[in-house]
Amino acid sequence: MALAPTSTSTIPGPGRSGSLSTTLAFQRDPLGFLSKMLEQYGNVVRLPVLGMPMVVINHPDDVKKVLQDNHVDFDKDAAIFELVQPLLGDGLISVVGGASWMSRRRLIQPSFHRKRIEDMTQVMLSHSEDMLRRWSGFAADGTDIDVGREMSQITLRIVARTLFAVDIGAEGATHPYAQALEVMMKELSAFLQFPIIPLRAPTPGHRRFWKNIRIMDGFVYDMIGRYRAGTAENQGDLLYMLMNAQDADTGEKMDDRQLRDEITSFLFAGHETSANALTWTIQMLTEHPDVESRLREEIDRVVGDREPTMADLPKLSYLTAVINENLRVNPPIWQIMRHARVDGELGGYRIPAGSNVFWSPYLVHRNPDFWPDPEKFDPDRFAPDLARGIHKGAFIPFSAGPRICIGNTFAMTEIQLILTRILQRFRFESRTEQPLRKVPNISLWPDKPIRIALQPR
Ligand code: HEM
């Protein structure tokens, strides 16, 4: 296909005059709207949203090119992170640009080595034990549980304990940090649905947002203060590493604001997504009893009643397949964007420098050329011999390339261990109100709480 010289005007898509209607349609139902656009215009679509021209891609070759093969040409975009700046600041997730990002990533990477994660499994298991002890009480008195809340609580506890050596409150009790985080997230989600009135404008919702950010910051700065004062014990955790790391060029150490941004980014990224994946996986099991019983059979055979270990995990291949199939159908991060730094080419079209390139893992994971019968929940797609043949750009729940999720092994280990423990102890029955809709916000959550009733096995 011939390449146009400098603009995106040759890329198919709705005309510029439709910018307002496009924006409204995107805001109302982003996944439905994008899916319609891809169906109508193909795997590369030009879309003006919120006055910002976007190039939407949906072919795994193009996704792989942006994330991996030509990653230097496509960077994160500071303008997008402006929206979540009050929460994440300049932590690893939002930092733009090659060299500054790379030195930070190198600094943090050792905290996620396999050996370190193996050491963390004891914390993951003991927090699971606390949760399940409490669940036994619910099973005895017939109380339903809200799976999303339970999973958010346990994953937040695990990430705080493993990475920062802090206990974010006893199991079942809601810590002020967790409470503030929940309210802040609600307000941030409302803002992101329609980010027109700036967060600084003092609407009641925005005031609540800032109040809770201050509560969260108070907790994090207090943690930093205790470390600096030497009253916190060095447990070889990420905070200790960050605090003592020196910039290779300047010799400077991170100041409190930089530490705050990093801690908050990890507490946030390290629990919201894993909680989401656990919640949807449990929902998928309630909808597919055949999958659930095959999974229980595998866990009974490989692990029995004892505590699972890291060495068991490679043998639990159906468990891994179920988790992956859920991440395909319900990827927690449903949208990703990059900014073209130089002129490039995607899908045969010229992509001028400055373009915003957008894709949705949710839609890429439904590309029918790569995923036959894409809506069907079928873990066998990830059977070990088939999984090896999956295109590197077709399954991207953790992204790909150098900026792939740093916590992917942490997350998979945590999800595998928690699910194994739950399935060893309980059977469950859905009590979720139907119909269930998916709400694409910061991550992809159901519109109603996922509720289950528990029976001990
Ligand atoms: C199922 C769970 C998870 C999913 C689906 C997930 C997904 C993702 C995705 C898609 C990205 C790339 C975003 C982009 O390129 O714009 C990412 C980056 C990141 N994730 Fe995760 N994540 C998960 C769990 C975790 C955990 C447990 C942690 C930490 C303990 C974590 C920390 C991060 C960080 C720090 C980044 C930025 C990495 C960088 O830019 O170098 N994530 N994650």
Side-chain angles (χ1 to χ4, degrees):
M1 191 171 299
L3 298 180
T6 52
S7 84
T8 55
S9 61
T10 54
I11 301 177
R16 270 179 215 294
S17 56
S19 180
L20 182 61
S21 56
T22 307
T23 302
L24 291 174
F26 181 79
Q27 295 296 329
R28 227 182 348 254
D29 174 17
L31 293 174
F33 176 68
L34 286 171
S35 159
K36 219 164 83 190
M37 291 293 105
L38 292 166
E39 211 171 285
Q40 192 170 338
Y41 296 104
N43 276 330
V44 185
V45 182
R46 179 175 47 83
L47 215 57
V49 171
L50 288 170
M52 178 177 66
M54 257 178 14
V55 177
V56 182
I57 56 173
N58 198 48
H59 195 288
D61 284 351
D62 293 332
V63 171
K64 183 168 166 284
K65 204 171 196 179
V66 172
L67 284 175
Q68 204 162 315
D69 308 341
N70 293 9
H71 69 89
V72 177
D73 299 345
F74 297 93
D75 203 348
K76 290 208 173 182
D77 181 13
I80 293 299
F81 284 98
E82 281 290 292
L83 296 175
V84 283
Q85 170 74 19
L87 174 64
L88 303 178
D90 293 323
L92 183 68
I93 304 175
S94 21
V95 70
V96 172
S100 49
W101 162 78
M102 198 182 287
S103 63
R104 192 92 61 87
R105 175 109 185 187
R106 281 212 188 107
L107 171 68
I108 295 173
Q109 194 74 54
S111 293
F112 289 89
H113 281 165
R114 224 187 144 65
K115 178 73 195 77
R116 291 299 313 266
I117 290 172
E118 197 165 345
D119 297 341
M120 295 172 191
T121 56
Q122 268 323 308
V123 173
M124 294 173 182
L125 286 166
S126 79
H127 284 339
S128 305
E129 204 50 48
D130 287 354
M131 180 182 77
L132 296 182
R133 208 171 303 122
R134 207 160 39 78
W135 283 19
S136 295
F138 295 145
D141 62 22
T143 309
D144 299 350
I145 61 163
D146 175 338
V147 180
R149 279 194 127 214
E150 293 288 323
M151 294 304 120
S152 292
Q153 198 172 78
I154 187 173
T155 52
L156 182 60
R157 277 194 89 193
I158 289 174
V159 79
R161 178 86 215 163
T162 50
L163 295 187
F164 303 114
V166 289
D167 197 343
I168 222 137
E171 181 58 37
T174 314
H175 188 274
Y177 183 88
Q179 237 163 21
L181 181 67
E182 194 177 332
V183 181
M184 182 283 302
M185 279 295 288
K186 221 167 114 202
E187 298 304 339
L188 182 62
S189 298
F191 165 71
L192 291 175
Q193 296 258 319
F194 211 73
I196 299 296
I197 304 172
L199 268 174
R200 285 282 167 205
T203 66
H206 293 179
R207 282 213 196 95
R208 265 192 303 279
F209 170 83
W210 287 109
K211 182 176 159 207
N212 286 286
I213 284 276
R214 281 193 296 275
I215 295 173
M216 290 163 58
D217 282 355
F219 173 77
V220 171
Y221 281 124
D222 181 56
M223 216 165 110
I224 297 170
R226 278 187 292 113
Y227 258 79
R228 290 225 189 273
T231 54
E233 205 184 320
N234 166 23
Q235 300 188 33
D237 52 273
L238 180 59
L239 177 55
Y240 186 83
M241 256 175 80
L242 292 171
M243 200 166 266
N244 291 291
Q246 282 182 303
D247 187 287
D249 300 324
T250 63
E252 278 178 19
K253 292 189 175 179
M254 283 188 178
D255 63 23
D256 283 5
R257 176 72 207 187
Q258 287 168 315
L259 288 169
R260 174 264 174 223
D261 288 351
E262 216 54 272
I263 295 167
T264 304
S265 296
F266 272 93
L267 286 179
F268 174 72
H271 98 283
E272 160 84 7
T273 42
S274 302
N276 183 288
L278 278 158
T279 304
W280 275 116
T281 305
I282 290 175
Q283 173 61 17
M284 292 296 101
L285 294 178
T286 66
E287 288 178 19
H288 301 88
D290 50 326
V291 174
E292 187 188 334
S293 55
R294 202 170 140 193
L295 182 54
R296 285 184 189 283
E297 186 277 318
E298 180 183 78
I299 291 172
D300 289 351
R301 182 169 38 81
V302 176
V303 194
D305 290 339
R306 67 171 168 79
E307 209 169 58
T309 64
M310 195 92 167
D312 292 322
L313 301 183
K315 294 177 221 151
L316 294 167
S317 57
Y318 194 62
L319 174 65
T320 309
V322 169
I323 296 167
N324 278 333
E325 177 65 346
N326 174 66
L327 289 171
R328 182 188 71 81
V329 177
N330 302 303
I333 303 296
W334 64 275
Q335 58 173 345
I336 302 189
M337 186 134 109
R338 292 289 188 269
H339 193 71
R341 296 174 60 234
V342 293
D343 285 353
E345 177 271 328
L346 291 170
Y349 295 98
R350 181 174 288 283
I351 307 295
S355 306
N356 293 306
V357 179
F358 174 103
W359 65 98
S360 166
Y362 182 92
L363 297 171
V364 174
H365 292 174
R366 281 168 169 72
N367 187 324
D369 295 337
F370 293 82
W371 301 104
D373 199 359
E375 290 301 332
K376 185 173 173 206
F377 183 78
D378 177 10
D380 284 331
R381 299 177 202 268
F382 290 92
D385 46 336
L386 292 181
R388 275 188 285 278
I390 295 173
H391 187 302
K392 295 274 180 290
F395 181 58
I396 43 164
F398 293 105
S399 186
R403 287 201 84 152
I404 191 169
C405 174
I406 199 169
N408 62 354
T409 308
F410 178 113
M412 283 304 284
T413 306
E414 171 184 53
I415 294 169
Q416 285 167 316
L417 293 176
I418 294 176
L419 277 177
T420 300
R421 280 324 244 165
I422 294 175
L423 288 159
Q424 283 175 317
R425 302 286 182 79
F426 294 101
R427 294 194 178 282
F428 34 78
E429 227 172 76
S430 177
R431 292 280 189 271
T432 306
E433 242 181 79
Q434 296 294 334
L436 204 59
R437 260 185 349 102
K438 293 172 184 176
V439 184
N441 207 290
I442 297 174
S443 37
L444 188 70
W445 282 99
D447 66 335
K448 307 180 186 71
I450 304 278
R451 301 197 71 89
I452 52 171
L454 301 160
Q455 290 102 37
R457 287 186 74 190

